[in-house]
Amino acid sequence: MIEKREALTSELHTVLDFIRWGASRFNEADLWFGHGTDNAWDDAVLLVMHGLHLPVGSKPEVLSANLTMDERKSVLCLLERRFKDRVPTPYITNEAWFCEMPFYVDERVLVPRSPIAELIQTGFGPWAKGELTSVLDLCCGSGCIGIATAAQYPDVEVTLSDISADALEVARVNVDMHHLADHMMLVESDLFNNLKGASFDLILCNPPYVDADDLAQMPPEYQAEPSLALGSGDDGLDFTRRLLREAPNHLHAEGVLICEVGNSWVNLEQAFPNVPFTWIEFEHGGHGVFAITREELLAYKAFFA
């Protein structure tokens, strides 16, 4: 292996050489993409530019620049980690983007990718009735949903909550990075257990929702993410059932719950065929996100018992 790496560092010279070589190895290894990019080339660009401490949007002239020997070795290590260990690129760079904002991420949290980003950027559409004053980001992970909401609506009080103390440590890093500590509260809680008495205009939730079959078949890149944030029982709805039962107690009179269940939306419809979930359509892609009002949750509470 040492000999092979030495050969590569003598054969590859420019930024473009390393991007091309990395993309070729990624395709050869049949990697899975879905953590910020959808193809081998873009993944290779991110890793090479990260290793060189250069922005992705650097001038095209940089592609022909020669790397020093130390830079070649450093970039090769990053590329090899991606295709040999199949680590998602954001865990290697410790950076992901959500709502056009950068977030620190590592293996303690999911890589941000929720279509709820589009709702934040468009003002939550008809589901934000009146002026928002309080929002809960439940199962917050990195805190991206709540932090993006706080950045977009500076007068709104935002609470970040997660069962994982490790995830909340990552969320705290992001709160501080975006200078929002004065706007936000972080609470370690299993659903609403440590939020007793608290209520909100809007609850945003990207909970664990992957069913057992999908979880078992996930590619290694997704298995690198925390299982606590992914799986939720045989049909993917263990957490969501609890949420539907308890959410009305933590919503204001005209409050709304917006929740992502991904591919488990079919299971949710089958489990509660009489409940009027509103499935949100996204202009920029994404599915499996529903909205339901407090009034509707109360009207159909017998189905959630």
Side-chain angles (χ1 to χ4, degrees), residues 212-260:
D213 287 342
D214 281 354
L215 192 65
Q217 297 173 32
M218 278 187 160
E221 284 84 353
Y222 288 114
Q223 293 178 13
E225 296 184 293
S227 59
L228 180 65
L230 291 170
S232 192
D234 288 344
D235 63 359
L237 300 178
D238 284 3
F239 184 94
T240 304
R241 286 186 175 87
R242 294 174 58 202
L243 175 62
L244 293 170
R245 286 196 298 269
E246 299 181 31
N249 299 326
H250 298 275
L251 284 168
H252 294 157
E254 294 190 341
V256 178
L257 166 67
I258 294 177
C259 179
E260 180 174 350

Side-chain angles (χ1 to χ4, degrees), residues 75-281:
V75 169
L76 274 176
C77 286
L78 296 178
L79 295 172
E80 287 178 347
R81 189 178 176 205
R82 178 69 181 98
F83 72 82
K84 289 182 177 179
D85 300 334
R86 299 194 63 161
V87 177
T89 290
Y91 287 162
I92 300 174
T93 63
N94 294 124
E95 183 179 75
W97 286 77
F98 184 81
C99 281
E100 301 179 3
M101 299 170 64
F103 288 88
Y104 172 86
V105 294
D106 61 30
E107 289 84 349
R108 293 174 289 179
V109 296
L110 295 181
V111 176
R113 53 184 177 272
S114 173
I116 290 174
E118 186 175 316
L119 295 180
I120 298 170
Q121 294 174 315
T122 57
F124 298 106
W127 298 284
K129 296 180 180 178
E131 184 176 349
L132 283 179
T133 61
S134 56
V135 173
L136 171 64
D137 177 4
L138 189 62
C139 305
C140 70
S142 66
C144 61
I145 290 175
I147 290 170
T149 299
Q152 188 91 354
Y153 309 96
D155 295 329
V156 175
E157 294 182 5
V158 178
T159 299
L160 305 178
S161 179
D162 202 288
I163 191 174
S164 167
D166 286 341
L168 287 172
E169 288 180 6
V170 175
R172 173 59 69 187
V173 170
N174 288 314
V175 168
D176 292 342
M177 181 171 72
H178 290 289
H179 309 291
L180 290 168
D182 293 340
H183 292 259
M184 312 189 78
M185 180 169 63
L186 281 74
V187 179
E188 183 180 344
S189 181
D190 178 5
L191 219 153
F192 298 107
N193 287 354
N194 292 331
L195 290 164
K196 297 191 188 312
S199 60
F200 307 90
D201 296 323
L202 184 62
I203 296 175
L204 305 172
C205 188
N206 180 14
Y209 59 69
V210 182
D211 66 44
D213 287 342
D214 281 354
L215 192 65
Q217 297 173 32
M218 278 187 160
E221 284 84 353
Y222 288 114
Q223 293 178 13
E225 296 184 293
S227 59
L228 180 65
L230 291 170
S232 192
D234 288 344
D235 63 359
L237 300 178
D238 284 3
F239 184 94
T240 304
R241 286 186 175 87
R242 294 174 58 202
L243 175 62
L244 293 170
R245 286 196 298 269
E246 299 181 31
N249 299 326
H250 298 275
L251 284 168
H252 294 157
E254 294 190 341
V256 178
L257 166 67
I258 294 177
C259 179
E260 180 174 350
V261 292
N263 290 340
S264 293
W265 73 270
V266 175
N267 296 335
L268 188 67
E269 288 271 277
Q270 291 175 347
F272 304 109
N274 298 307
V275 177
F277 298 108
T278 299
W279 295 102
I280 300 172
E281 295 184 4

